[in-house]
Amino acid sequence: MKYLIIGGVAAGTKAAAKLKRENRADEVKILTKGDYISYAGCGLPYYVGGLIKSRDELIVNTPQKYSNLTGAEVVTNCEVISLNAAKKTVTAVIDGKTFEEPYDRLIIATGAQPFIPDMPGKDLKGVFSMRTPNDADALLKYIKENSCKTAVVAGAGFIGLEVAENLKAQGLFVTVVDAAEQIMPNAFDFEMADYAQRKLKEAGIKILTGTKILSVSGKERAEGIVTDNGNIVADVTVLAIGIRPATNFLKDSKIEMSKGAIITNDKGETNLKDVYAVGDCALVKNAQSGQSMWSAMGSTANIAARAVVKAFKNSSYSYKGALGTGVVKLLPELNAGRTGLTEADARLKGYNPISVVCITDDKAHYYPGSSFFATKIIADRDTHRLLGIQVIGAGAVDKMVDIAVTGISAAMKIEDFDTLDYAYAPPFSMAIHPFVQACYILENKINKELDTISPLEYLQGAAKGYKVIDVLPQPGIPGAKWVNLSEVNGLIEGLNKNDKLLLVCARGKRGYFLQNRLKFYGYTNTKVLEGGITFNKVKVEFEGTLPLEEIKRVK
């Protein structure tokens, strides 16, 4: 059996290695366009930032080393330009010479390529994308040779923000623009993205959302960009607008595609006999909805490639699908992770979602290096099934996300996590795991034991007409009425039982405690602000000038 694989990065090399382990006698041949294989594309931004010192650290295997290790043949600098499924051949070019390569089974693993809009200035010196080690080398060389001080990054997805962080680490002032109204669009709900954006701004990275790049300015070299909101001057420009499946060579092959991504089933099969596709060039199944999705992640590519090969031998085996799981390092002390459905997407897909945003310690508060997670956990209001999670924090947000991956995959309800025996020691976690704490809080909201205004509702003006009650240990919210929680043992002077009261503390916990007491004493219209002042920018409507005593009080 001859297996021909087009593409030699993540999915292609994973498939080839597994094929040779399954049957050493099979002929396995990789044709790859570049002069290197199996490089760590996800590590490129950190090479740009200097965290990874050498380009060689990004090269997982050289072609020769890989061939010796696996037994698969690798042909580099070989571009496949067409597929003839009827003849079971591909046409390829190497060193300017065209040839045909036959196969018994073909695996297409060509990955994706940067999306570069057809706009003026895109080919100027000083304009870069970020997809290969050569891209990273060229960017670093240009910054050094031209003593660049400022950079603009077009695209506020994961890659764009990772590039921005690492350009900042090189000492550049960085501006990020995106046509969407938020950073990390489609991955995070608006209020979570807004929180992350505020943190990036505080760190000195300028973010301009709702801003579309129109062209790159400059004559001989890039001098900035032109947007629909004005011009931005910069010494170097990085285009991280997005990626597209690298499938142009298949346009005449009769293979079925959707927006350039190859349509496959759960065994990687295409509509063409003995032709399979895997990785960033192909669609996979969404494990929640069962519908097709594009999951351009190195993790998906590796897992799905292995599954496709296993299914050759075991016809009952299949790839179970992706959840859109992702994690990103935004700043040295700020990480973000997510999986499953956003609340907005869950609503569009017909669920009746309910969510809560909560702040929990990521490990014992007294342990050095402890911080907190800002977590949004989403469930179906009717069934209580976990639908998704988004986590932002300085620590191991991936642990929170990975628990959710397991829970969603097992169709678990929020209550199913209540008594699970997660690992605990002060350096690692809390006695009650932060994920379980988030579940408890959402359960309280579902059961109406906790009545809240969410951060998104707050941004949309839901707190208008509410009197803000400061529940911090000491007065700290200008214009708000401070209530000493420890002394509340009955009605509070100046507050009527039917008053609309917004209870605000640092994280939400003290607000919940006060709400519990106030309900007992007959107060009927209290709301806790989810995430407190840690997550929200709280402003109290105050008629006239703030009195001097009020200014002194909060100081």
Side-chain angles (χ1 to χ4, degrees), residues 278-438:
V278 69
D280 293 359
C281 64
L283 296 176
V284 295
K285 182 177 72 174
N286 183 292
Q288 278 177 289
S289 68
Q291 299 172 345
S292 291
M293 68 177 291
W294 192 43
S295 179
M297 301 291 290
S299 51
T300 302
N302 277 278
I303 295 166
R306 188 177 187 276
V308 167
V309 173
K310 283 197 70 173
F312 290 154
K313 187 175 181 179
N314 180 359
S315 60
S316 65
Y317 194 86
S318 64
Y319 175 65
K320 304 303 181 186
L323 292 171
T325 306
V327 65
V328 60
K329 181 171 176 283
L330 299 172
L331 292 167
E333 298 297 327
L334 189 69
N335 308 310
R338 56 93 60 214
T339 195
L341 299 175
T342 63
E343 185 172 12
D345 199 29
R347 191 168 286 111
L348 289 174
K349 285 182 166 46
Y351 291 97
N352 182 17
I354 184 170
S355 69
V356 74
V357 173
C358 56
I359 309 296
T360 57
D361 290 327
D362 62 358
K363 57 177 68 72
H365 67 88
Y366 53 80
Y367 192 83
S370 66
S371 185
F372 63 85
F373 292 134
T375 301
K376 179 173 185 177
I377 189 167
I378 306 151
D380 182 70
R381 190 187 301 265
D382 302 323
T383 65
H384 298 190
R385 274 183 59 177
L386 176 64
L387 297 179
I389 196 170
Q390 299 156 42
V391 191
I392 300 173
V397 299
D398 58 309
K399 288 205 304 184
M400 298 281 283
V401 171
D402 288 344
I403 293 172
V405 168
T406 303
I408 294 170
S409 300
M412 293 173 69
K413 297 180 180 181
I414 293 296
E415 294 86 353
D416 292 336
F417 296 93
D418 283 6
T419 59
L420 294 186
D421 188 17
Y422 290 116
Y424 163 66
F428 305 103
S429 188
M430 301 286 292
I432 297 179
H433 195 281
F435 186 94
V436 177
Q437 291 184 44

Side-chain angles (χ1 to χ4, degrees), residues 60-80:
V60 180
N61 277 308
T62 64
Q64 187 61 51
K65 181 181 176 183
Y66 177 84
S67 291
N68 293 340
L69 185 65
T70 66
E73 181 183 356
V74 179
V75 182
T76 58
N77 298 303
C78 178
E79 181 178 5
V80 175

Side-chain angles (χ1 to χ4, degrees), residues 15 63 105 109 118 177 191 217 244 295 318 356 389 405 415 444 471 503:
R105 280 177 172 167
D118 187 13
V177 303
E191 70 276 26
S217 57
R244 298 291 184 271
S295 179
S318 64
V356 74
I389 196 170
V405 168
E415 294 86 353
N444 287 340
V471 199
L503 313 180

Side-chain angles (χ1 to χ4, degrees), residues 216-232:
V216 179
S217 57
K219 294 183 178 180
E220 295 183 359
R221 65 181 61 198
E223 297 174 1
I225 64 172
V226 178
T227 78
D228 56 359
N229 284 328
N231 299 344
I232 298 171

Side-chain angles (χ1 to χ4, degrees), residues 440-511:
Y440 288 169
I441 297 168
L442 183 53
E443 288 171 41
N444 287 340
K445 185 173 178 179
I446 290 172
N447 297 329
K448 302 188 183 304
E449 296 172 18
L450 169 66
D451 296 312
T452 72
I453 287 179
S454 72
L456 181 60
E457 290 169 338
Y458 186 74
L459 286 170
Q460 294 171 339
K464 187 174 179 61
Y466 279 78
K467 180 180 292 186
V468 177
I469 305 301
D470 180 349
V471 199
L472 293 165
Q474 299 295 327
I477 303 175
K481 177 179 176 62
W482 180 64
V483 170
N484 187 340
L485 174 62
S486 63
E487 295 181 356
V488 175
N489 292 300
L491 299 181
I492 299 175
E493 184 179 351
L495 299 181
N496 297 318
K497 289 184 177 180
N498 294 325
D499 285 349
K500 297 169 71 173
L501 307 177
L502 181 64
L503 313 180
V504 183
C505 61
R507 298 182 173 186
K509 186 175 182 179
R510 290 174 64 87

Side-chain angles (χ1 to χ4, degrees), residues 147-276:
S147 301
C148 296
K149 303 297 182 185
T150 58
V152 62
V153 178
F158 283 15
I159 296 298
L161 294 176
E162 287 173 342
V163 170
E165 183 219 353
N166 283 282
L167 288 174
K168 182 180 182 299
Q170 289 284 16
L172 280 71
F173 176 78
V174 184
T175 300
V176 179
V177 303
D178 199 292
E181 294 301 321
Q182 65 171 77
I183 64 173
M184 301 181 289
N186 303 317
F188 286 77
D189 282 308
F190 180 84
E191 70 276 26
M192 297 296 286
D194 181 69
Y195 173 77
Q197 182 172 330
R198 296 201 316 263
K199 294 300 178 184
L200 289 168
K201 181 180 178 181
E202 290 170 9
I205 296 176
K206 187 175 182 180
I207 308 283
L208 299 174
T209 53
T211 301
K212 182 180 180 180
I213 183 173
L214 301 176
S215 63
V216 179
S217 57
K219 294 183 178 180
E220 295 183 359
R221 65 181 61 198
E223 297 174 1
I225 64 172
V226 178
T227 78
D228 56 359
N229 284 328
N231 299 344
I232 298 171
V233 177
D235 299 324
V236 63
T237 297
V238 178
L239 301 179
I241 298 168
I243 56 175
R244 298 291 184 271
T247 56
N248 289 340
F249 72 101
L250 296 169
K251 63 181 182 297
D252 297 322
S253 68
K254 298 182 180 179
I255 198 167
E256 291 182 354
M257 294 188 283
S258 175
K259 297 181 179 179
I262 302 167
I263 298 172
T264 66
N265 63 15
D266 57 5
K267 298 182 188 301
E269 296 170 326
T270 72
N271 64 303
L272 302 179
K273 182 177 174 55
D274 292 325
V275 177
Y276 303 79

